[in-house]
Amino acid sequence: MSDETSALQFEMMLVMRHLNHLQRHADWEEAPLDRSAYVLMSRISVDGPLTIRELREVLGLDDSTLNRQTAAIVRAGHLERTPDPDGGVARKFRLTEAGRKRLADERDSYARELGGVVDGWSPADRAGLIATLRRFNEAYEATEARPWARPAV
C-alpha cells in the first residue's frame, strides 16, 4: 500500500468515526434514524417510489435485507406501500408525509452539526471539500457500476 493510500484509508476511518460520533451525540429532538433507514429513505426521496427489485438494483442489497428494512420503516410510519403508477404488479415504497418531515429534520440536524465544524472555512474551501467528496463518491460508485442519485441543488 502506498503512503498516499494508507493516509487516505486513515483519514476515511476518522471521517466514519466522526460521523458515528455525531449521530450518537448530536442534540436530537428524537432518536436518530438508523443508518439503513436514513440511506434507504434518502434514496427514495431523490428517486421517488421504488419496488424491492429497484431498491435491490440501486442499493446492492438482497431481498431479505430490504424486506426487513422496509418493513421496519413502514411500521415506523415513514414509508408506505403504493400501487405502481405505471400499472406494474409490484408495489412501490414511497415516503409518507411523516417520513419526509423526519428525513428533512434529520438532514437539517446533520447539516447544522457539520456546518459548525466548517464554520470558519472560506466558501472556496467548503466548495472544494464538497467537490472532492463528490469526486471520490462518484469514483467509488463507478467501481460498482451503481451511480447514486443526487438531489438537485
Side-chain angles (χ1 to χ4, degrees):
M1 183 171 10
S2 74
D3 289 344
E4 285 180 337
T5 306
S6 181
L8 174 62
Q9 177 280 323
F10 187 83
E11 293 301 330
M12 294 302 291
M13 179 270 304
L14 287 175
V15 166
M16 290 184 294
R17 183 218 177 261
H18 297 318
L19 292 176
N20 286 334
H21 188 266
L22 173 104
Q23 184 181 31
R24 287 192 315 272
H25 296 97
D27 187 21
W28 301 105
E29 289 183 22
E30 54 187 312
L33 295 166
D34 69 38
R35 187 186 61 79
S36 62
Y38 186 82
V39 170
L40 196 146
M41 290 169 64
S42 291
R43 187 62 190 244
I44 290 173
S45 78
V46 174
D47 283 342
L50 297 169
T51 64
I52 287 290
R53 180 186 58 79
E54 291 167 331
L55 287 167
R56 180 180 64 234
E57 290 172 7
V58 299
L59 297 175
L61 299 172
D62 61 73
D63 288 359
S64 172
T65 300
L66 287 166
N67 280 314
R68 188 176 62 256
Q69 289 178 358
T70 55
I73 302 168
V74 167
R75 278 192 308 276
H78 298 134
L79 282 182
E80 61 187 352
R81 291 179 181 90
T82 62
D84 184 344
D86 298 325
V89 176
R91 298 185 56 86
K92 294 198 172 205
F93 292 94
R94 74 174 175 196
L95 291 172
T96 62
E97 205 46 51
R100 262 188 253 307
K101 181 179 179 338
R102 179 65 190 277
L103 184 61
D105 289 348
E106 194 141 329
R107 283 181 176 160
D108 289 347
S109 292
Y110 279 120
R112 275 192 306 278
E113 293 292 326
L114 292 171
V117 173
V118 297
D119 187 44
W121 293 25
S122 72
D125 285 346
R126 288 192 301 268
L129 176 61
I130 294 164
T132 300
L133 287 172
R134 183 172 186 151
R135 183 176 174 200
F136 173 85
N137 285 327
E138 288 174 342
Y140 191 91
E141 293 158 21
T143 67
E144 295 185 321
R146 189 174 286 122
W148 192 264
R150 287 169 170 78
V153 185

